[in-house]
Amino acid sequence: MQIRACQLDAETGDAKARMAAIRWLTGDAASDGADVVVFPELALTGYGAGDEIRDLAETIDGPTVAELQRLADEHGIAVITGLALREAQGVVNAALVALPRRKPIVYAKQHLYGDYEKALFTPGRVPSGLFEIAGMKAAVLVCFDVEFPERVRELAVAGAEIVFVPTALPASDGARFVAEKIVPVRAFENQIFIVYVDHVGSDARFAYQGLSCIAAPDGTRITAAPDDQFAILSASIDRADYAESRVQNPYLAELAAHRDR
């Protein structure tokens, strides 16, 4: 699988400017042969836009999702991004997966972080489902979700080989630990790949940690972005390259064996 992950500058601009950036970056990723391009949490509005996020939220059949699906269809590339969606239960902080010539997939963030998010969104209640990109079984989580080992483990047990995580991680010592340590550990303990994509820079409310990365089953960060600038990460991954890691660290196989005893 060829992956393109885009760490966006928080000062990219309004929703129109952000869509223009996503449109250009998607075309560029496709021209380089990427199978999937990934953007941060709430990439279409910016994470710190406050009540404007709710005001701009559309349903899944609105023009924003239609445009993302059009990009996926036109370029033959999967587009994964965070955005707010209006559902029957309220506005959710969602990850949208637009797959070429398929119905879009939506996952609503289950673990809302802090009073800011809890005032804006309704938490999701449905686990992330699996889908396929370039022959690999994939799933999505959103930001804080990945910090809960249960959320990643349930996807790995279900068969996920790679988990995409749009995020908006505010800068702090603890946030650096999450990006540099926890995310690779989640990949290692579940023997999967994790694509973790943050904002960088500042908006009116928050400064962001950056440090987006693609983590591998052996706990390494195949590639990582800096903490202070826009960045595009590219990687080619093959599950077979990490067969030895699975032999040495057979966590999922041991769990399955334990259940069968």
Side-chain angles (χ1 to χ4, degrees):
M1 181 191 294
Q2 300 288 335
I3 301 170
R4 179 69 61 87
C6 301
Q7 177 170 285
L8 298 184
D9 192 319
E11 297 182 3
T12 297
D14 61 12
K16 183 176 180 180
R18 288 172 173 276
M19 180 59 86
I22 288 171
R23 190 179 294 117
W24 184 87
L25 288 164
T26 298
D28 183 65
S31 69
D32 282 348
D35 297 299
V36 56
V37 59
V38 191
F39 299 98
E41 180 180 9
L42 296 172
L44 272 298
T45 55
Y47 181 80
D51 289 339
E52 184 180 359
I53 296 171
R54 291 179 59 87
D55 295 341
L56 293 174
E58 301 171 5
T59 60
I60 193 171
D61 57 356
T64 297
V65 174
E67 174 63 4
L68 294 168
Q69 186 63 51
R70 185 194 68 78
L71 289 172
D73 292 342
E74 177 181 335
H75 295 290
I77 187 173
V79 181
I80 299 176
T81 188
L83 78 170
L85 285 176
R86 194 171 299 279
E87 297 188 339
Q89 70 270 29
V91 176
V92 297
N93 184 346
L96 179 100
V97 183
L99 298 166
R101 293 166 294 281
R102 290 175 58 186
K103 183 179 179 180
I105 296 167
V106 173
Y107 164 76
K109 186 176 185 178
Q110 296 181 68
H111 298 286
L112 301 178
Y113 183 78
D115 293 341
Y116 176 73
E117 286 190 21
K118 290 174 182 177
L120 291 173
F121 302 111
T122 298
R125 302 296 185 191
V126 180
S128 180
L130 299 188
F131 52 93
E132 187 172 301
I133 298 177
M136 291 184 68
K137 293 180 181 178
V140 289
L141 293 172
V142 179
C143 196
F144 197 35
D145 289 335
V146 80
E147 298 177 42
F148 291 80
E150 299 87 351
R151 295 291 78 78
V152 185
R153 177 55 55 85
E154 68 190 7
L155 295 177
V157 169
E161 298 170 294
I162 184 167
V163 177
F164 299 95
V165 188
T167 191
L169 186 68
S172 70
D173 291 343
R176 181 173 287 273
F177 182 80
V178 169
E180 294 183 333
K181 305 298 182 183
I182 289 181
V183 170
V185 166
R186 290 287 171 274
F188 181 86
E189 68 191 2
N190 292 289
Q191 291 297 295
I192 61 172
F193 297 90
I194 295 180
V195 182
Y196 187 77
V197 188
D198 197 8
H199 302 266
V200 73
S202 301
D203 57 30
R205 282 184 171 84
F206 302 101
Y208 300 93
Q209 189 62 69
L211 300 177
S212 302
C213 70
I214 300 173
D218 63 359
T220 59
R221 293 192 299 162
I222 299 171
T223 181
D227 64 2
D228 60 354
Q229 62 186 23
F230 165 83
I232 296 174
L233 302 179
S234 297
S236 177
I237 63 169
D238 186 337
R239 191 85 161 87
D241 291 343
Y242 296 88
E244 183 60 29
S245 181
R246 294 196 298 279
V247 171
Q248 293 180 7
N249 307 293
Y251 304 121
L252 298 183
E254 179 59 26
L255 280 174
H258 180 76
R259 287 194 297 270
D260 292 339
R261 288 174 189 153

